[in-house]
């Protein structure tokens, strides 16, 4: 931790959109994880069929919040403020190489390296997290259709498995009424790679979240720029000009 008695200057880094995205993302993911764990263990927990449908339906409601929030963040990376943009998020470009060199040299000499945006290691983590979250969003939206016939693909899935296509809207989760057995099997085979990806990415994401939190704590102890409070206030503090500031 930087314990020197130096004067600190405050710089604005995260705009309001980034901060709102971050906390909506945290809360929606915690809810998705909690309900996801219950879905995974439904049998062991003795959850009834109606209970499973309810769990999946609520998982999908939180999923919609998560997807809309994520989609907005991906757009904001094109139009948002300086440090919300791709060029300051992705681990790419000549600036990035320079910053990584500076960062590694500082770590080697056990001195702090000051960055207003993400440090070079955090940028790799952010890219990894966005990839995992986007995969969960896409696979989740498909599963919302195949499992509980909810939008955006629920109607198409119901039509696929229905015996009488004109009554596809009567198809209910876990019910065999108006369901063609062969088409249902086809649909479940189509669903397989989506559910296995959704489940695998869930475990990888748990690990990535733990690494992300440990990284934040480590950076805060090493540099002491107030990076946790910065996700509330948008501001970090520095004893000298951060190297990624023009
Ligand atoms: C970070 C985001 C997410 C996490 C951590 C997560 C986690 C999980 C977990 C652990 C399961 C149980 C898997 C299994 O039963 O094998 C699950 C199932 C499911 N998820 Fe997600 N999920 C996320 C996002 C979404 C989204 C965005 C949607 C849709 C809008 C969604 C829709 C579903 C559905 C429909 C199921 C039930 C599949 C089934 O087991 O039959 N998920 N999710």
């Amino acid at each position: 931790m930087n314990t020197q008695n130096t004067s600190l200057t405050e710089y604005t880094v995260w705009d309001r959109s980034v901060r709102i995205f971050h906390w909506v993302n945290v809360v929606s993911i915690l809810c998705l994880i909690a309900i996801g764990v219950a879905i995974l263990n439904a049998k062991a927990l003795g959850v009834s069929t109606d209970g499973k449908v309810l769990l999946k339906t609520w998982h999908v409601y939180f999923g919609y919040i998560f997807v809309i929030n994520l989609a907005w963040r991906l757009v904001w990376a094109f139009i948002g403020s300086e440090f919300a943009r791709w060029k300051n998020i992705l681990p790419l470009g000549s600036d990035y190489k320079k910053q990584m060199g500076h960062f590694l040299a500082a770590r080697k000499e056990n001195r702090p390296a000051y960055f207003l945006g993400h440090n070079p290691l955090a940028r790799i983590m952010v890219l990894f997290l966005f990839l995992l979250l986007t995969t969960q969003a896409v696979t989740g939206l498909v599963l919302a259709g195949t499992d509980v016939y909810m939008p955006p693909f629920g109607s198409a899935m119901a039509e696929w498995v229905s015996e009488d296509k004109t009554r596809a809207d009567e198809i209910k989760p876990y019910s065999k009424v108006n369901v063609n057995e062969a088409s249902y099997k086809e649909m479940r085979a189509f669903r397989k790679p989506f559910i296995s990806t959704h489940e695998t990415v869930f475990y990888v994401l748990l690990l990535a979240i733990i690494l992300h939190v440990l990284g934040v704590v480590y950076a805060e102890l090493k540099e002491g720029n107030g990076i946790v409070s910065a996700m509330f206030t948008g501001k970090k503090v520095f004893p000298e000009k951060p190297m990624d500031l023009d």
Side-chain angles (χ1 to χ4, degrees):
M1 193 184 335
N2 182 10
T3 52
Q4 286 169 342
N5 195 10
T6 43
S7 71
L8 298 172
T9 310
E10 199 173 72
Y11 296 88
T12 299
V13 55
W14 308 129
D15 61 42
R16 199 177 344 162
S17 257
V18 170
R19 286 177 275 144
I20 293 174
F21 159 76
H22 183 268
W23 294 116
V24 172
N25 194 47
V26 169
V27 173
S28 58
I29 287 179
L30 288 179
C31 295
L32 284 162
I33 289 175
I35 306 177
V37 168
I39 297 172
L40 265 179
N41 297 290
K43 220 183 212 164
L45 294 169
V47 178
S48 65
T49 302
D50 283 350
K52 270 195 278 191
V53 173
L54 194 67
L55 283 174
K56 289 184 186 187
T57 304
W58 273 97
H59 187 80
V60 172
Y61 287 150
F62 283 112
Y64 291 151
I65 296 172
F66 162 79
V67 169
I68 291 167
N69 190 49
L70 178 64
W72 171 243
R73 180 64 187 94
L74 298 181
V75 171
W76 193 245
F78 290 100
I79 59 174
S81 64
E82 180 73 8
F83 286 94
R85 291 186 177 228
W86 290 122
K87 74 175 163 70
N88 280 312
I89 293 174
L90 297 181
L92 300 171
S94 56
D95 269 7
Y96 177 72
K97 271 195 202 146
K98 212 164 64 191
Q99 290 176 12
M100 184 56 113
H102 174 85
F103 178 79
L104 292 177
R107 282 287 176 272
K108 222 173 175 176
E109 293 158 23
N110 199 24
R111 58 180 167 81
Y114 296 117
F115 292 93
L116 183 51
H118 300 297
N119 76 37
L121 270 192
R123 282 202 200 189
I124 297 174
M125 193 59 184
V126 168
L127 171 63
F128 187 49
L129 281 169
F130 272 142
L131 287 174
L132 294 176
L133 297 184
T134 305
T135 307
Q136 279 313 71
V138 172
T139 52
L141 287 174
V142 172
L143 293 170
T146 59
D147 275 80
V148 273
Y149 304 110
M150 285 173 76
F153 305 113
S155 310
M157 295 298 164
E159 207 164 299
W160 185 357
V161 301
S162 57
E163 194 72 68
D164 173 0
K165 308 282 181 213
T166 61
R167 291 173 37 234
D169 56 343
E170 289 171 22
I171 298 230
K172 296 276 172 286
Y174 292 90
S175 160
K176 296 272 175 248
V177 178
N178 193 28
V179 169
N180 177 289
E181 206 48 49
S183 311
Y184 186 76
K185 270 196 184 136
E186 271 176 35
M187 187 273 273
R188 299 303 277 184
F190 163 81
R191 165 195 184 270
K192 239 184 185 152
F194 292 96
I195 184 67
S196 51
T197 306
H198 201 71
E199 195 178 328
T200 307
V201 171
F202 160 69
Y203 291 115
V204 180
L205 189 60
L206 283 185
L207 234 141
I209 292 170
I210 293 169
L211 274 178
H212 168 65
V213 173
L214 288 177
V216 166
V217 172
Y218 175 74
E220 182 54 32
L221 291 175
K222 198 83 192 159
E223 272 99 21
N225 303 130
I227 61 174
V228 179
S229 60
M231 261 311 158
F232 294 98
T233 63
K235 295 171 172 48
K236 292 185 185 176
V237 289
F238 295 90
E240 61 188 59
K241 190 171 169 249
M243 88 154 291
D244 54 342
L245 194 65
D246 296 328

